[in-house]
Amino acid sequence: MSRLPKPIGTFGKPTEPRKQKNGSFRTTVRYYGSTGSKQIARFGESADDARNKLAEAMRDYQEVHGISRITRNTKLIDLAAELLTELRGDDSYTEGNIEDYRREIYVSDDKRAKPGTVKIENSVGHLQVWQATAGELDRHLKRLVSLGLRRKAKQHKIILKAMMAIAVRHGAIDINPIDGVAAFTRRKNRARGKVKDQRALPAFRAQVRTWARGEAIPGTPAYRSGPRRDWTLVWVIDVITGTGMRPHEAFAVLLDEIDIECPDPYLDVTGTLIEVRGKGRGRWVRKPFPKTDNSWRRFLLPPHSIDAIHHTIADLKSSGRPNPDRLLYPSRNGTPRSPTNFGRPWRAARGSEFDWVTPRTFRRGVGTEVDNFYDDPERAARQLGNTKEVAKQHYIDIPETVPDNREVLERWATGGGGGKV
């Protein structure tokens, strides 16, 4: 009668410890894996010591299939490296997604990086898997929140959950400790209704032009020396306010996807910028597809945006700067323009009078204006490249006008009879 094969992923019966010539004790056990069986041996100063060491080895053992071995003693920073390896092999994650994870895991070696910035590497990265309890990770996340880093805390929670899920899959721990971490409490935002902000765009556009001419504005002195102020800022603002596109989309627009001479001038959004990090400062590259499925769209351009594009194209021709990718807004050396560097003139041009203005302010303004004029959040969502739910939650920022109930309320208040009869 043939012996039944052992189940995959199980151990046989450990041998009794045997004393060796050097006085130590040796015990073994056989592991039955998908690629065959393997003998595991441990030595101890006594029989019990050898049994205990073999028991620990059996507890921590994981069959290796071309990836790092994950045990309860694996450090979280090594577990994070394993996560990044998994993400690179998953087609559902883009280079930008992976870079977002990597940036929150490792401390930057860029000399310009702010020292002391909290990353997983310099906070909980030294912990071993068994030490990363729900309580320990909860304290880490709450510390970030207490420092005013709520968004970072949410990012770390997402990354740590994915990391610890690997440890669970490999049997290093039984449950994901992030499941036991306290949920983030919802902050109650005050009623928004930024009607005043919504009407500030003409004055803001005028101030940016004043800044570009080199004149002083509130919070920013007049131009004195150095590189001349770049009118590109003026033109980018006019394109964004006429479309509602994301800044990363604006810097990825191609000249070949614009037609301002046809009866209905238009601009197509077919890509976005992502940052690719490596040694040194990293670089920005154009990704040939936009952020989401809803983001691929064609904008019919209003006159102020058409005028801005005319000026931009004329400036490109007169400057003679290199532009191998035929971008609408290339940098001085012809590469994709860095959204990070763009923030510097942006902050200078908004000064103190409009220090609350961000590129997202314009997206919110576009969505709000379209929705309130047409009473159609779906129309606003299509303009922004979002779903209706996202547009209503994040971008439509003036309270909706309720239906006209004046007549029935007046009858009720004056005794003229309210309600149906």
Side-chain angles (χ1 to χ4, degrees):
M1 183 175 177
S2 61
R3 181 179 297 179
L4 290 174
K6 294 286 187 181
I8 297 296
T10 62
F11 293 90
K13 183 180 179 180
T15 62
E16 285 297 320
R18 297 183 63 179
K19 193 170 185 177
Q20 307 298 298
K21 291 181 179 180
N22 62 2
S24 65
F25 286 79
R26 178 178 185 268
T27 179
T28 65
V29 70
R30 188 159 291 279
Y31 175 78
Y32 298 92
S34 59
T35 57
S37 64
K38 177 182 179 181
Q39 188 181 71
I40 302 171
R42 289 295 182 271
F43 295 84
E45 296 179 357
S46 65
D48 283 343
D49 186 32
R51 288 191 189 98
N52 290 339
K53 287 183 177 178
L54 184 62
E56 288 181 346
M58 293 169 64
R59 176 196 63 197
D60 295 339
Y61 184 79
Q62 291 296 319
E63 188 173 12
V64 178
H65 293 285
I67 58 174
S68 299
R69 180 180 173 187
I70 306 300
T71 72
R72 66 193 303 270
N73 296 322
T74 300
K75 289 188 175 182
L76 294 198
I77 192 61
D78 297 324
L79 192 60
E82 189 64 35
L83 171 64
L84 293 176
T85 300
E86 285 196 3
L87 296 182
R88 293 187 190 100
D90 188 338
D91 292 339
S92 63
Y93 287 87
T94 66
E95 290 183 20
N97 298 144
I98 298 170
E99 176 58 27
D100 289 340
Y101 275 67
R102 194 205 64 79
R103 195 178 302 169
E104 280 304 324
I105 290 171
Y106 295 111
V107 175
S108 174
D109 56 2
D110 193 329
K111 293 181 180 179
R112 300 173 301 169
K114 184 178 179 181
T117 301
V118 181
K119 304 290 184 180
I120 288 176
E121 181 181 15
N122 62 1
S123 55
V124 295
H126 66 284
L127 295 177
Q128 295 179 349
V129 168
W130 70 271
Q131 295 174 315
T133 61
E136 193 67 39
L137 299 182
D138 188 62
R139 281 188 288 274
H140 167 65
L141 298 176
K142 285 181 176 175
R143 173 173 170 262
L144 293 177
V145 173
S146 69
L147 293 173
L149 304 173
R150 185 182 180 89
R151 184 171 181 269
K152 180 182 283 288
K154 290 183 176 181
Q155 291 173 321
H156 280 208
K157 185 175 182 180
I158 292 170
I159 296 171
L160 287 168
K161 186 177 180 69
M163 288 167 50
M164 302 312 291
I166 295 176
V168 172
R169 290 199 302 271
H170 287 260
I173 50 177
D174 294 328
I175 60 173
N176 194 322
I178 290 293
D179 293 338
V181 168
F184 291 105
T185 56
R186 286 186 174 274
R187 291 181 295 186
K188 291 186 177 180
N189 296 323
R190 61 181 177 82
R192 293 176 293 180
K194 300 178 181 177
V195 179
K196 181 180 178 181
D197 292 355
Q198 189 69 12
R199 301 293 173 254
L201 180 57
F204 178 74
R205 292 179 64 225
Q207 176 174 292
V208 173
R209 282 164 167 75
T210 300
W211 171 85
R213 289 193 296 269
E215 302 172 23
I217 60 171
T220 301
Y223 168 79
R224 291 288 181 268
S225 61
R228 290 283 179 182
R229 291 177 176 175
D230 191 354
W231 274 83
T232 300
L233 178 67
V234 175
W235 303 326
V236 170
I237 289 172
D238 280 359
V239 169
I240 293 179
T241 56
T243 59
M245 72 171 67
R246 302 171 179 90
H248 288 53
E249 293 173 338
F251 296 137
V253 170
L254 300 176
L255 292 171
D256 298 331
E257 295 172 347
I258 302 170
D259 190 342
I260 53 177
E261 305 300 336
C262 65
D264 293 311
Y266 67 85
L267 175 157
D268 288 344
V269 171
T270 62
T272 188
L273 293 191
I274 59 171
E275 188 175 16
V276 178
R277 287 278 184 172
K279 291 185 178 180
R281 297 171 57 181
R283 60 194 177 93
W284 289 88
V285 298
R286 185 183 188 275
K287 184 177 68 172
F289 46 89
K291 182 177 179 181
T292 67
D293 292 339
N294 294 313
S295 299
W296 189 91
R297 58 211 191 277
R298 170 170 291 185
F299 293 113
L300 299 180
L301 298 169
H304 78 280
S305 297
I306 297 172
D307 188 55
I309 292 174
H310 267 300
H311 285 297
T312 302
I313 294 175
D315 180 69
L316 285 173
K317 290 179 180 178
S318 63
S319 67
R321 75 183 70 165
N323 190 10
D325 296 329
R326 291 187 54 77
L327 295 164
L328 179 62
Y329 297 115
S331 65
R332 286 190 176 91
N333 60 8
T335 60
R337 185 179 291 261
S338 167
T340 304
N341 293 341
F342 183 74
R344 298 190 185 99
W346 178 283
R347 290 186 290 273
R350 70 186 183 182
S352 58
E353 189 76 19
F354 297 98
D355 58 357
W356 48 268
V357 174
T358 69
R360 181 167 173 158
T361 304
F362 295 141
R363 274 178 59 76
R364 185 183 296 120
V366 167
T368 299
E369 200 69 20
V370 172
D371 173 68
N372 277 261
F373 186 84
Y374 293 102
D375 191 22
D376 187 355
E378 177 67 31
R379 185 174 187 138
R382 291 176 63 187
Q383 181 79 28
L384 298 175
N386 288 121
T387 63
K388 182 171 70 173
E389 292 72 22
V390 170
K392 290 185 71 173
Q393 181 178 357
H394 297 289
Y395 295 107
I396 297 174
D397 210 23
I398 294 179
E400 296 179 8
T401 301
V402 302
D404 188 354
N405 300 316
R406 291 175 291 182
E407 184 178 348
V408 65
L409 295 177
E410 183 64 18
R411 289 203 308 270
W412 174 52
T414 58
K420 295 182 179 180
V421 296

